Every structure is written in C-alpha cells, then in structure tokens.
Amino acid sequence: MRLTPRAHEIQRVVDVLEDPTFESPDQMAKALIKEVADIVQMRDLIVVVHTWEGGHKGLNFGPFGSTAEAEAFAKKMSFGGTGRLVPLTSSGIMLANHDGKAGWPGYCYQPDCGHAPWMHAIEGSSRGKCHDTTCPCEKFVKDDPTKKKTTRKKAAPKGMAAGINEL
Ligand SMILES: [Zn+2]
Ligand SMILES: [Zn+2]
C-alpha cells in the first residue's frame, strides 16, 4: 500500500522516534507500528472488487492508498472479468468523529477534548464550549499549539534597501 505521508503524520512518527523514555528498540518499534497503524486507519482507502467473466463473485483486494495504485494492481494481475474500485470509508475517522481524536488536524487541540468542531457550541464566527458533558473544553482550539507559526521575514522594499546601502 502506497501512501504519501502528510506533515502531521510525519510529526507523529518523529515524536515516537525522539521520545527518550523507551527502554528498548523493541518498545520503540511497537509504539511506531501502533502509531503508523493508527495513521493508516485515518485514511480513506480503495479496494478492488473483482467479478469473473461468468458473473460470479471474485475476491476483494486491498486496501490501496489511491485509485492509481488499485488500477495498477488490477492491470498487473490481469485476472480477466471485471474489477470495480470501491472506496473504503475510514473507520478511524468515523470513530474520531464519535469519540474525538486529540492532537489530530480537524479536531479540537484542547488536550482534554479532541472532539470534532461541530460538537462545540457556535459562538458568533467561532466555536465555544464542547457539548460532550464529560469534557472540560470551553473553546474549540483549531490550530496545533505545539506547531510553530512560520514567521516570514518581510523583504524590505527595494527603494528602502537601496537607500540604506547608500548610507
Ligand atoms: Zn470536547
Ligand atoms: Zn474542544
């Protein structure tokens, strides 16, 4: 299965790799496999549903990370019959919508919350208190607070730079 890693997924793996509390490589490997499985479960994937020429059902193959990958597989295997690409809805996303997912983009970054935005009360143009009665969250946190905001240096206007150089 081919996946294009996303920035927040890379960060989660880096967090495991940089965690100094593991006592053995085995422990770290276990945590890493769990993390990656969790990442994959948060993806919508594709399966190939195969039907033989006579019309009876073949096997279902997958999952694949993209339709291109699924098509390439079907082409390579050339089973005959017909293949249909069927999207698999991520069970991870469904669970995250239900239970919340702390530290995941699209969900509340309040560490005790992690609930979906629509679970928070609408307050003007933003979202306020979380509707989950057991949740202490008072305001939806949209952006990852651990992520550094990229501060771009403003280039000095050409005229001004030229003026400084003349001094
Ligand atoms: Zn909440
Ligand atoms: Zn919240």
Side-chain angles (χ1 to χ4, degrees), residues 8-25:
H8 68 274
E9 296 170 341
I10 293 168
Q11 190 53 54
R12 289 176 90 95
V13 170
V14 168
D15 287 348
V16 173
L17 295 174
E18 288 182 344
D19 185 338
T21 62
F22 291 112
E23 279 158 19
S24 68

Side-chain angles (χ1 to χ4, degrees), residues 50-58 79-82:
H50 179 238
T51 308
W52 293 107
E53 231 148 283
H56 64 274
K57 258 177 72 110
F79 297 113
T82 52

Side-chain angles (χ1 to χ4, degrees), residues 112-115 120 130 132 135 137:
D112 298 317
C113 180
H115 292 113
H120 295 71
C130 183
D132 188 308
C135 184
C137 177

